[in-house]
Amino acid sequence: MRVYTSKAELCAFISKESTSTFSLGFVPTMGALHAGHLSLVNAALAQNNLVVVSIFVNPTQFDNPNDLNTYPRTLEEDIQLLETLSKTTIVVYAPSIDDIYGSEMDSERFDFGGLELQMEGKFRTGHFDGVGTIVKHLFEIVKPDNAYFGEKDFQQLQIIKKMVEITQLSVNVIGCPIEREPNGLAMSSRNIRLSIEEKETAALIYKILQSVKEKFRYENHTDISNWVTTQFTNHPLFELEYFQISDSINLVPIQQKNQSKTYRAFIAVFARDVRLIDNIALN
Ligand code: PAF
């Protein structure tokens, strides 16, 4: 498998491969790959001639230095996993910080039309400017036709679609369904940091979301939010950071249910110092 650490070499390879009918897929990741990432790569392989997978833990999107330092880095295992899918049609781009940012590791400031003010944006200062900055850099380097993102980070997916609209980059952004462990826990690179018992306990997050979906048919959103809060009150493992039911297009919190709109429930909880997020479509 080709693994590039320099954008110049990656770009040289891509331009050598591309023809007029060629389609390039792109899966940006921060590594510690799991079945969720592999489902994105498989979707990309099914729709493109060549797929670039970037592996880069992007410092500008972390508001918490401890989260950045403890973020799992498993490049060798990641490459081995990707090789199980294809050795020839996947190319890995694993750059250094310098290759991406040069001497100035700054985030661009974006106006995502209010999407950035909700949920993750409220609780992780500067996070979406960091995500927008790195994804824009990567899109400009890789120049993909299609780029694939998981719906686990649903707000991020909406933000990236908005970034593409603002910057007028010609990339088709494709959202892919959340992959889950057999017990329902959403797959995440951070799950590696949970013990086996904690992973079992964390199945509660998705169970709660499923109950929320059921309750949403006949209960009002305030009662549902209160019910979710009580599920975590005095919990031995979890601390609830937020629970929110939002319009799934603009992510604004629901005020009154409107039958013509679609809604999603979003949740973030800490299991000790491990931050887990999940979401579910409600209608
Ligand atoms: O979802 C992620 O893993 C990251 O936020 C991304 C999109 C690769 C940008 O660093």
Side-chain angles (χ1 to χ4, degrees):
M1 168 167 291
R2 288 189 159 76
V3 179
Y4 293 102
T5 53
S6 124
K7 63 180 165 215
E9 286 171 15
L10 173 76
C11 293
F13 173 73
I14 293 172
S15 62
K16 194 162 58 71
E17 291 295 297
S18 49
T19 59
S20 56
T21 55
F22 172 90
S23 169
L24 182 62
F26 180 39
V27 182
T29 81
M30 298 204 298
L33 301 185
H34 50 68
H37 295 112
L38 298 190
S39 74
L40 301 181
V41 178
N42 274 327
L45 284 169
Q47 294 171 352
N48 302 276
N49 308 88
L50 184 70
V51 174
V52 175
V53 177
S54 64
I55 297 179
F56 178 65
V57 181
N58 172 40
T60 64
Q61 72 188 75
F62 285 82
D63 62 327
N64 175 344
N66 182 48
D67 195 19
L68 173 61
N69 292 335
T70 55
Y71 201 88
R73 289 157 171 91
T74 57
L75 184 59
E76 286 311 311
E77 289 94 322
D78 292 346
I79 292 169
Q80 280 169 19
L81 263 181
L82 291 171
E83 281 183 341
T84 64
L85 303 187
S86 167
K87 285 188 180 172
T88 53
T89 50
I90 300 174
V91 177
V92 171
Y93 175 44
S96 61
I97 291 180
D98 194 53
D99 197 56
I100 295 286
Y101 286 107
S103 56
E104 277 165 49
M105 198 171 62
D106 290 333
S107 279
E108 188 175 333
R109 297 281 147 86
F110 291 94
D111 176 356
F112 295 115
L115 289 170
E116 74 279 24
L117 305 177
Q118 305 296 334
M119 303 179 289
E120 295 298 286
K122 258 191 215 153
F123 287 91
R124 302 181 71 188
T125 315
H127 171 66
F128 286 123
D129 281 336
V131 170
T133 302
I134 183 63
V135 175
K136 184 174 166 219
H137 277 319
L138 291 168
F139 281 179
E140 283 165 350
I141 294 166
V142 176
K143 298 189 179 62
D145 298 291
N146 301 305
Y148 299 79
F149 295 85
E151 287 185 346
K152 183 174 82 69
D153 298 294
F154 191 85
Q155 188 176 10
Q156 167 174 280
L157 173 64
Q158 301 303 96
I159 292 252
I160 289 166
K161 286 183 177 165
K162 188 78 185 172
M163 185 274 285
V164 166
E165 186 190 310
I166 298 166
T167 55
Q168 298 190 317
L169 288 168
S170 96
V171 183
N172 186 21
V173 175
I174 297 167
C176 300
I178 301 174
E179 289 288 314
R180 298 184 178 280
E181 304 282 356
N183 72 5
L185 174 64
M187 292 207 177
S188 162
S189 303
R190 290 186 170 88
N191 293 355
I192 301 179
R193 298 185 53 223
L194 300 173
S195 68
I196 294 171
E197 294 78 31
E198 288 170 341
K199 263 195 196 158
E200 277 316 308
T201 312
L204 176 69
I205 299 169
Y206 185 50
K207 286 210 182 77
I208 287 177
L209 288 182
Q210 286 175 304
S211 302
V212 165
K213 183 173 179 145
E214 186 55 32
K215 286 173 182 291
F216 190 69
R217 292 167 46 203
Y218 52 86
E219 275 186 42
N220 78 57
H221 64 93
T222 312
D223 290 347
I224 297 175
S225 294
N226 290 339
W227 176 80
V228 171
T229 305
T230 58
Q231 302 309 300
F232 289 100
T233 310
N234 300 327
H235 194 282
L237 178 62
F238 297 125
E239 199 180 318
L240 179 65
E241 187 170 62
Y242 65 74
F243 170 78
Q244 185 168 313
I245 296 178
S246 289
D247 178 312
S248 51
I249 308 292
N250 59 22
L251 305 184
V252 170
I254 185 171
Q255 298 297 335
Q256 188 136 40
K257 206 193 276 187
N258 177 334
Q259 295 302 339
S260 65
K261 290 189 169 178
T262 58
Y263 297 97
R264 273 182 114 88
F266 297 86
I267 193 165
V269 298
F270 278 96
R272 287 180 292 102
D273 61 336
V274 185
R275 192 168 182 279
L276 303 170
I277 62 170
D278 201 349
N279 68 83
I280 194 168
L282 297 179
N283 60 337

